Amino acid sequence: MTNKEVVYHFFKEGYENKNYNLVMNYLSNDYIDHSPAGARGNYQAVEILKIVESQFSELSIKILDIFSENDMVATRVLFEGIHSGVCMGIPATGRKIHFEALENFKVVGGKIVESWGYWPDKEIEEKLR
């Protein structure tokens, strides 16, 4: 599997299919998330996916851009879902929202070892209110 395919399957299996056991195979045991979520290790990363699942039902993702050079993969991803659980302290509204996120990954030996992500928190919060 190419580095781009690893990242693509991480998104599809993690966010849409909720196949967390498979996602564990795409992340190294000592994975480091440099975003505010700050996961350390593949187990913490899966816990973050579960939190997102509790906040947004019917979540779908569309990879708008994906680029790879050497061991780095850059993505721009469109997330769409229904606000069905507490997010940013805001109770479920039932609103369907969408937003774009930017995430970069370092993939070594077929495993994601590091990531840097930007989710537009202010935009998401405004859409939930």
Side-chain angles (χ1 to χ4, degrees):
M1 200 180 301
T2 68
N3 290 348
K4 284 189 342 185
E5 290 171 328
V6 169
V7 169
Y8 173 84
H9 288 292
F10 164 78
F11 276 112
K12 285 296 189 180
E13 295 302 329
Y15 287 104
E16 284 190 349
N17 298 335
K18 298 163 189 61
N19 190 345
Y20 302 125
N21 289 331
L22 185 56
V23 168
M24 294 289 285
N25 295 325
Y26 298 128
L27 298 163
S28 70
N29 292 340
D30 57 352
Y31 163 78
I32 298 173
D33 177 359
H34 297 283
S35 76
R40 295 295 183 259
N42 52 4
Y43 286 100
Q44 285 186 6
V46 166
E47 289 305 310
I48 291 169
L49 293 172
K50 289 177 181 178
I51 290 169
V52 173
E53 176 188 2
S54 75
Q55 297 170 333
F56 297 98
S57 60
E58 299 180 34
L59 188 64
S60 67
I61 59 127
K62 182 177 181 184
I63 308 279
L64 301 173
D65 295 307
I66 186 165
F67 302 94
S68 179
E69 186 170 328
N70 300 319
D71 59 1
M72 296 300 296
V73 179
T75 65
R76 182 171 61 103
V77 181
L78 176 66
F79 288 82
E80 293 182 305
I82 297 173
H83 179 215
S84 56
V86 176
C87 180
M88 299 179 177
I90 301 168
T93 62
R95 288 190 189 119
K96 185 170 186 174
I97 72 160
H98 65 277
F99 59 90
E100 290 182 18
L102 303 174
E103 299 211 28
N104 296 328
F105 299 86
K106 183 174 184 179
V107 182
V108 176
K111 302 262 187 188
I112 299 169
V113 296
E114 290 182 87
S115 68
W116 298 260
Y118 167 75
W119 283 34
D121 291 344
K122 270 297 205 204
E123 176 188 341
I124 295 168
E125 185 177 7
E126 287 173 7
K127 289 180 176 189
L128 298 179
R129 294 201 181 273

